[in-house]
Amino acid sequence: MNFTDLTIKSASELIAKKEVSAKELAEMSLERIKEVDDKVHAFLYVAEKEAMEQADEVDRMIIADNENFALTGIPYSVKDCILVKGMKATAASKILENYVAPYDATVIEKLKKVSPVMMGKTNLDEFAMGASTLYSAYGPTKNPYDLSRVPGGSSGGSAASVASGEVIFSIGSDTFGSIRQPASFCGVVGMKPTYGRVSRFGLIAMCSSMDQIGVFTRTVEDAALALQMIVGQDVKDSTSLPKLVPDYSAALSEDLKGMKIGIPKEFFVEGIDPEVRAIVENAIKQVEALGAEVSEVSLPNVPYSVPAYYIIAPVEISANLSRYDGIRYGLSVPGKTLEEVYYNSRSQGLGAEVKRRIMIGTYASSAGYYDAYYKKAKQIESLVQQDFKSAFDKFDLLLTPVSPKPAFKIDEKKDPVSMYLEDVFTGPINLAGVPAMSVPGGLTKSGLPVGVQLIANHFAEEKLFQAGHALEKSLNLKLKPNL
Ligand code: GLN
């Protein structure tokens, strides 16, 4: 058995047949982390001791109760902006360098009920603001397929930890692309559920009107198994909704007969890399061959999504991050007055991109400017939502690229706007609040993974699993980095 080839499905079958124990899986995961994480730097914290203790307990439980769920004993990682009780949660910021989570996020609480084994906390752009993991205060994560390139972001550590075979799945967050773009860059499956499908209680807030938790896995089948365990309404998050949760695994099929798939023309504009375009066009051919009815659709307001988001998000960020004041949480730098404590703590504790957003957000929401910026941006958001609504009156799914280009070089992007443009194809989905998934579509000639994005209507995640699984099977890629 090769640990780096295991999926949730295959590892869980081995556990059920008693061919491997949770302890052995955790040991294999740790060994792999020791072997490659110096190079990849997916982890901010490796929970070696906790994982071994937990794995022992899981093995005892399996023997005692004969209880074995799909995720039981499976090694996984968690993005460091999600709280795990008793463990540090830095959100890759200096201001939370010594912050220890006093409680579990709801997703972690839910996972603990089925006992996967938590191997550690993964790297991200500071407070999940970014698209490269370069904005982590603790050094960048590298792309496992090419160490001179970024893994994407902000959940770059989560994507890289699954791609490099350190863990079998990971939990991340996606506000404007942060699960799907790194999944695409790292050749893994990345699933962002509907806004309201998964509780964000215990997720360090960035842009609350769009933040959503989701999963990274090696296969679509695994994404169905992992997502199943974290969904559902939660009284601790008033935006989570009491919608019936279908059996996602039952939706997996290899046939797309009668499914209507729209190809939004605004996602195939000039500037998209020819290899990315070819990989996505190949995916379109595949879904057609599987029986889907494919036709073009227009989402005319989608091109305004990035400018709208970079007003809405900073406004919410400036409010959400006001809690890091040097008094209540984290780093506190002394000063002669209270104001100086605020000033010193925030100056030293926060990185440049975070400060930029706080300033833009404060400006855009201040009296006299609110109507011109924030209100306009929210109007654009409504128009984008309308576009998706009309598209889903006609289509079951939309299919697009995830990102205009494959993973970029670590020192390639010099200005914030070129980083913001990374979100051009993923972000509109968050404005609409609908679910989407990145499925590996192929490799470029130089060996970089490229994902294909599938988008469904609100709470229609099962259609993503259906089409994603069928596409994955027909492409039959066996992606694996050379590490
Ligand atoms: N790239 C986007 C940003 O910088 C999205 C981040 C995210 O989804 N967390 O805000």
Side-chain angles (χ1 to χ4, degrees), residues 138-386:
Y138 304 102
T141 298
K142 313 281 173 64
N143 190 310
Y145 283 82
D146 177 347
L147 297 170
S148 69
R149 290 175 190 270
V150 302
S154 64
S155 314
S158 282
S161 71
V162 174
S164 58
E166 296 175 309
V167 289
I168 300 181
F169 74 101
S170 187
I171 302 291
S173 67
D174 187 314
T175 304
F176 208 65
S178 277
I179 288 179
R180 290 156 289 149
Q181 183 250 23
S184 171
F185 282 12
C186 292
V188 296
V189 175
M191 164 82 194
K192 181 205 92 82
T194 310
Y195 184 79
R197 190 44 119 181
V198 177
S199 166
R200 291 98 36 83
F201 180 72
L203 167 69
I204 295 179
M206 192 254 270
C207 173
S208 309
S209 70
M210 287 175 240
D211 293 341
Q212 185 56 222
I213 292 178
V215 298
F216 290 90
T217 54
R218 296 218 176 93
T219 63
V220 174
E221 186 177 42
D222 276 8
L225 292 169
L227 187 72
Q228 194 83 50
M229 293 302 155
I230 62 169
V231 291
Q233 195 192 15
D234 176 17
V235 289
K236 294 177 189 145
D237 176 358
S238 58
T239 64
S240 69
L241 291 171
K243 288 271 184 184
L244 217 67
V245 180
D247 178 354
Y248 294 136
S249 298
L252 303 169
S253 88
E254 284 167 35
D255 178 359
L256 299 180
K257 256 188 215 84
M259 193 176 243
K260 293 194 176 63
I261 301 187
I263 311 297
K265 63 173 192 214
E266 289 77 10
F267 289 70
F268 293 83
V269 285
E270 233 177 275
I272 147 167
D273 181 277
E275 285 191 277
V276 170
R277 183 188 283 267
I279 287 171
V280 177
E281 281 171 354
N282 178 48
I284 297 173
K285 283 205 201 92
Q286 301 284 336
V287 294
E288 263 186 312
L290 289 162
E293 294 166 29
V294 176
S295 53
E296 196 182 83
V297 60
S298 173
L299 305 170
N301 295 294
V302 147
Y304 307 108
S305 299
V306 169
Y309 170 78
Y310 283 96
I311 295 293
I312 297 169
V315 167
E316 294 190 33
I317 287 162
S318 68
N320 268 332
L321 271 67
S322 64
R323 57 168 68 89
Y324 307 109
D325 55 7
I327 305 289
R328 280 176 282 199
Y329 296 89
L331 181 77
S332 183
V333 181
K336 284 198 246 14
T337 60
L338 180 62
E339 214 153 86
E340 255 184 52
V341 175
Y342 291 161
Y343 183 87
N344 294 343
S345 306
R346 287 166 76 82
S347 300
Q348 291 181 32
L350 299 173
E353 179 60 25
V354 175
K355 286 177 187 161
R356 178 180 300 122
R357 293 193 191 194
I358 290 173
M359 290 198 292
I360 293 173
T362 307
Y363 180 83
S365 56
S366 55
Y369 295 101
Y370 179 94
D371 282 353
Y373 295 104
Y374 184 68
K375 197 169 152 205
K376 266 265 165 329
K378 289 300 274 185
Q379 284 166 337
I380 293 172
E381 182 178 56
S382 304
L383 294 174
V384 173
Q385 288 168 351
Q386 280 303 319

Side-chain angles (χ1 to χ4, degrees), residues 32 35-36 39-40 143-145 147 160 163-165 481-483:
R32 181 69 179 161
E35 187 186 332
V36 299
K39 289 186 269 185
V40 177
N143 190 310
Y145 283 82
L147 297 170
S164 58
N482 255 333
L483 265 178

